[in-house]
Amino acid sequence: MSVSLAVVGATGAVGRIVLQLLAERRFPHSKLKLLASRRSAGQQIQFNGSPVTVEELTPDAFQGVDLVIASTPDEVAAEFVPWAVERGAVVIDESGFWRMHPDVPLVVPEVNPEAIDGHHGIIASPNCSTTQMVVALAPLHRAARVRRVIVSTYQATSGTGLVGLDELKLATTAALQQQSHPPSAFAHPIAFNLIPQIGSPKYEGYTSEEMKMVLETRKIMGDDQIQVCPTCVRVPVEIGHSESIVVETERPLAVEQARELFQAAPGITLLDDLAAKQYPMPRSCAGSDDVFIGRIRKDLSHPNGLAFWCVSDNLRKGAATNAVQIAEWIVEHRKP
Amino acid sequence: MSVSLAVVGATGAVGRIVLQLLAERRFPHSKLKLLASRRSAGQQIQFNGSPVTVEELTPDAFQGVDLVIASTPDEVAAEFVPWAVERGAVVIDESGFWRMHPDVPLVVPEVNPEAIDGHHGIIASPNCSTTQMVVALAPLHRAARVRRVIVSTYQATSGTGLVGLDELKLATTAALQQQSHPPSAFAHPIAFNLIPQIGSPKYEGYTSEEMKMVLETRKIMGDDQIQVCPTCVRVPVEIGHSESIVVETERPLAVEQARELFQAAPGITLLDDLAAKQYPMPRSCAGSDDVFIGRIRKDLSHPNGLAFWCVSDNLRKGAATNAVQIAEWIVEHRKP
């Protein structure tokens, strides 16, 4: 089975990795179209050693396209996704715009691949912080039912795209020379600092990013009873989101049991040996497609509690990898 | 009332700030002695505009000393504190060595100043992460009884002293030039990275730093029923520890109530306006003596839960300021 594929947002931080993954994983496609805003149209991007010219994102660009992998801001996705669907394409959208729409499956292939089947032309890929968390929670939920999650994030600057990465470098260089660099990608200086706000104020003192972790988790895991209390924080790291997670389950889970569940779960790599100073860290996990878990221990404050530390490349599993996995699933399960 | 004072560890990251505070706050002393290891003895340090020569830390150095403020590694404190006490001095010790000793009060003046009275020559100042947390918890505990605390820390490199600060700068400079800088103050690269281990493995997968937050919190707050689940993480920040705290209280607390309690509590500054992008951040809180609190909100996952974000200068309230406050209390309450 080979498809005519379009990558939307091909020049962005995630789009570039989508292209890398398609090449690395030899994604079966008969045609590849790269689409981006008018500003980026005309650029040449290397794919598998050959240059491909970026075309402008217009309604007619989707003529003859079977499958779309898109990574754009919400407002762009709101506009272009219907263009593609009306022309018969299936869109895998990484923006936040369509995720909570009742007709749109929100999918992490390790957790709810079966949801893909119910699509009506759009399949959404979750927020990066949510994706790695649900990959970690899924095996625990299946074994012991997750009731409550308290999560504090340590999110990399690449979460806001290439501008975030650039600002971290420029601001840090300036700070080392005792100079200031006016923030623009972030609301506050990011060099040697933490910003405890990601997204805009949304609900009862929580930000939009935090509410994504509450609502998307329930939708992906198919359980509206899961309670989540998130705190999302931007940290001066380039790539790799980290999460300190404390989970309460209906039935207690021993640490050894949890370790076995993680070990057997798809998409998870255990790095858990405190005595040997082994645990996931953003710099060592960046560039990998897996979700890395370590520091697994009993929650000292609750009989059914478990604490752990979870790191994943926010541009890969948090975005590009998850979308490409969904695309692979669609191609494999395509009716002839 | 004026005392003969000795500052031990005067050349360290915290010792330097102790001296600044003594000068700024016009601490009433008749004599000031600066003590440090043999390696640092002979150095001259400015105090209030005049040079003071650092003397070697020996048993006889405490002859005629009334009060000691000490910031040294645990093993140094284990040895020298008895020298001082035997010679009639009262020691305020910032190391971890004496904190959990049953005869040693562990004091945060905003929380349990009355404990100072019971001392037998030694008063311990808590771990930096614990101090700022109990300042924040104390007013909630008085009003509604704290039952459970889940805390994830974001701890600055100055927590390991000047070597940690230096390593952050050198490693970051190297990383910006695509070069590597072998870690020595930390077990792993700290530039643009996170290290989810502070201290050594201690109990059931928790580190020594984490267990300090469990045990010291109970001792300071005088309540062995308080359950704490901590995760301690080193972040590439110079000064200022941050904490994401979720607390469950026996009686529910509304956000407005919590805000009023924080506002009325000593040592706390509220910075809590998400819509105006106002919340504590390490770079803006460094250099202040207060504990800063923001992002106050209901815990969405528990009816009696409250979430907030707490930042404080780890070298000041987390160490030097707390010790100087204890010293001031002793001088004020000294029997003539």
Side-chain angles (χ1 to χ4, degrees):
Chain A
M1 294 292 343
S2 206
V3 296
S4 167
L5 181 71
V7 174
V8 178
T11 56
V14 173
R16 290 176 190 200
I17 295 175
V18 167
L19 294 177
Q20 268 181 46
L21 289 167
L22 292 173
E24 277 169 31
R25 298 162 78 115
R26 303 175 183 278
F27 186 84
H29 60 281
S30 53
K31 223 184 141 187
L32 175 66
K33 215 176 227 197
L34 307 188
L35 301 175
S37 64
R38 182 176 300 174
R39 194 166 37 84
S40 299
Q43 269 188 42
Q44 291 217 325
I45 290 191
Q46 293 293 315
F47 178 75
N48 240 346
S50 310
V52 182
T53 303
V54 176
E55 297 172 49
E56 189 184 342
L57 178 62
T58 61
D60 286 337
F62 294 102
Q63 215 69 54
V65 168
D66 300 316
L67 193 60
V68 177
I69 298 179
S71 177
T72 71
D74 288 6
E75 60 279 15
V76 176
E79 191 178 15
F80 92 79
V81 168
W83 299 344
V85 174
E86 282 160 20
R87 284 162 183 79
V90 174
V91 182
I92 301 163
D93 181 37
E94 304 192 44
S95 86
F97 188 81
W98 299 94
R99 288 182 195 144
M100 296 308 294
H101 193 290
D103 285 346
V104 174
L106 181 62
V107 175
V108 175
E110 290 86 346
V111 182
N112 64 337
E114 69 287 351
I116 296 174
D117 283 336
H119 80 79
H120 298 91
I122 312 175
I123 298 145
S125 185
N127 176 257
C128 43
S129 326
T130 309
T131 302
Q132 68 182 76
M133 183 169 82
V134 296
V135 168
L137 294 179
L140 308 181
H141 191 55
R142 283 184 205 113
R145 203 167 178 211
V146 168
R147 307 283 63 213
R148 183 183 180 198
V149 183
I150 291 170
V151 54
S152 297
T153 71
Y154 303 64
Q155 295 182 231
T157 55
S158 55
T160 55
L162 296 171
V163 290
L165 271 174
D166 284 347
E167 186 154 313
L168 176 63
K169 278 187 194 163
L170 293 172
T172 306
T173 304
L176 285 167
Q177 294 161 359
Q178 316 293 332
Q179 287 165 1
S180 71
H181 178 87
S184 87
F186 302 107
H188 300 281
I190 188 63
F192 304 117
N193 202 21
L194 309 170
I195 307 173
Q197 173 180 7
I198 301 182
S200 47
K202 184 81 176 178
Y203 174 79
E204 299 274 341
Y206 288 82
T207 64
S208 51
E209 182 84 356
E210 287 160 353
M211 291 313 295
K212 288 174 187 173
M213 296 192 80
V214 174
L215 301 173
E216 295 180 13
T217 297
R218 290 184 190 147
K219 180 165 178 176
I220 301 161
M221 298 184 60
D223 186 339
D224 278 347
Q225 302 300 306
I226 297 175
Q227 304 297 326
V228 183
C229 178
T231 303
C232 290
V233 181
R234 187 73 67 192
V235 299
V237 161
E238 294 174 278
I239 296 174
H241 286 358
S242 304
E243 299 179 345
S244 167
I245 297 175
V246 175
V247 57
E248 286 170 36
T249 48
E250 195 164 273
R251 298 173 287 282
L253 273 176
V255 167
E256 258 324 304
Q257 245 179 309
R259 195 169 277 134
E260 281 163 24
L261 290 166
F262 284 139
Q263 205 128 35
I268 292 178
T269 296
L270 270 191
L271 261 181
D272 190 24
D273 187 346
L274 181 61
K277 301 186 165 85
Q278 285 203 356
Y279 26 70
M281 292 178 288
R283 271 183 58 177
S284 44
C285 298
S288 298
D289 289 310
D290 264 10
V291 172
F292 293 82
I293 293 179
R295 297 295 323 271
I296 307 168
R297 58 212 195 278
K298 282 300 293 178
D299 170 0
L300 295 177
S301 69
H302 197 281
N304 286 17
L306 192 82
F308 59 95
W309 174 253
C310 170
V311 181
S312 193
D313 184 322
N314 51 301
L315 302 177
R316 288 188 165 250
K317 185 56 193 167
T321 305
N322 198 65
V324 171
Q325 285 173 318
I326 296 171
E328 287 170 343
W329 199 96
I330 289 175
V331 170
E332 277 162 32
H333 293 74
R334 214 181 174 207
K335 285 163 200 84
Chain B
M1 296 291 341
S2 205
V3 296
S4 168
L5 182 71
V7 174
V8 178
T11 57
V14 173
R16 290 176 190 200
I17 294 176
V18 168
L19 294 177
Q20 268 182 45
L21 289 168
L22 292 172
E24 279 169 28
R25 296 162 78 114
R26 303 176 182 278
F27 186 84
H29 61 282
S30 54
K31 223 184 139 186
L32 175 67
K33 215 175 229 198
L34 307 189
L35 302 175
S37 66
R38 182 175 299 171
R39 193 167 38 84
S40 298
Q43 270 188 40
Q44 292 218 325
I45 290 191
Q46 293 293 316
F47 178 75
N48 239 346
S50 311
V52 182
T53 303
V54 176
E55 298 172 48
E56 189 183 342
L57 178 62
T58 62
D60 286 338
F62 294 101
Q63 216 67 54
V65 169
D66 300 316
L67 193 59
V68 178
I69 298 177
S71 176
T72 71
D74 289 5
E75 60 278 16
V76 176
E79 191 178 17
F80 93 80
V81 168
W83 299 343
V85 174
E86 282 160 19
R87 284 163 183 80
V90 174
V91 182
I92 301 162
D93 181 38
E94 303 191 43
S95 87
F97 189 81
W98 299 94
R99 288 181 196 145
M100 296 308 296
H101 193 291
D103 285 347
V104 174
L106 181 61
V107 175
V108 175
E110 290 86 346
V111 182
N112 63 338
E114 68 288 351
I116 297 173
D117 283 335
H119 79 79
H120 298 92
I122 312 175
I123 297 145
S125 185
N127 176 258
C128 44
S129 326
T130 310
T131 303
Q132 69 182 75
M133 184 169 80
V134 295
V135 168
L137 294 178
L140 308 182
H141 191 54
R142 283 184 205 112
R145 204 168 177 210
V146 168
R147 307 282 64 213
R148 185 183 180 199
V149 184
I150 291 170
V151 53
S152 296
T153 72
Y154 302 65
Q155 295 182 232
T157 55
S158 57
T160 57
L162 296 172
V163 290
L165 271 176
D166 285 347
E167 187 155 311
L168 176 63
K169 277 186 194 164
L170 294 172
T172 305
T173 304
L176 285 167
Q177 294 160 359
Q178 314 293 333
Q179 287 166 1
S180 71
H181 177 88
S184 88
F186 302 106
H188 299 281
I190 186 64
F192 304 117
N193 202 20
L194 308 170
I195 306 173
Q197 173 179 8
I198 301 182
S200 47
K202 185 80 177 180
Y203 174 77
E204 300 272 342
Y206 287 83
T207 65
S208 50
E209 181 84 357
E210 287 160 352
M211 291 313 295
K212 288 174 187 174
M213 296 192 80
V214 175
L215 301 173
E216 294 180 13
T217 298
R218 290 183 191 148
K219 180 165 176 173
I220 301 161
M221 297 184 61
D223 186 339
D224 278 347
Q225 302 301 306
I226 298 176
Q227 305 298 325
V228 184
C229 179
T231 303
C232 291
V233 181
R234 188 72 69 193
V235 299
V237 161
E238 295 175 277
I239 296 175
H241 285 357
S242 305
E243 299 179 344
S244 165
I245 297 175
V246 175
V247 56
E248 286 169 36
T249 48
E250 197 163 89
R251 296 173 288 283
L253 273 176
V255 167
E256 257 324 305
Q257 245 180 311
R259 193 169 279 134
E260 281 163 22
L261 290 166
F262 285 138
Q263 204 128 35
I268 292 178
T269 296
L270 271 193
L271 261 181
D272 190 23
D273 187 345
L274 181 61
K277 301 186 165 85
Q278 286 204 357
Y279 25 71
M281 292 178 286
R283 272 183 58 178
S284 45
C285 299
S288 297
D289 289 310
D290 264 10
V291 172
F292 292 83
I293 293 180
R295 298 294 325 269
I296 307 167
R297 58 214 195 276
K298 282 300 291 177
D299 169 0
L300 294 178
S301 69
H302 196 283
N304 286 16
L306 192 82
F308 59 95
W309 174 254
C310 168
V311 181
S312 192
D313 184 322
N314 52 301
L315 302 177
R316 289 188 166 248
K317 184 57 193 170
T321 305
N322 198 64
V324 171
Q325 285 174 316
I326 296 172
E328 288 171 341
W329 199 96
I330 289 174
V331 171
E332 278 162 31
H333 294 74
R334 215 181 174 207
K335 285 163 200 83

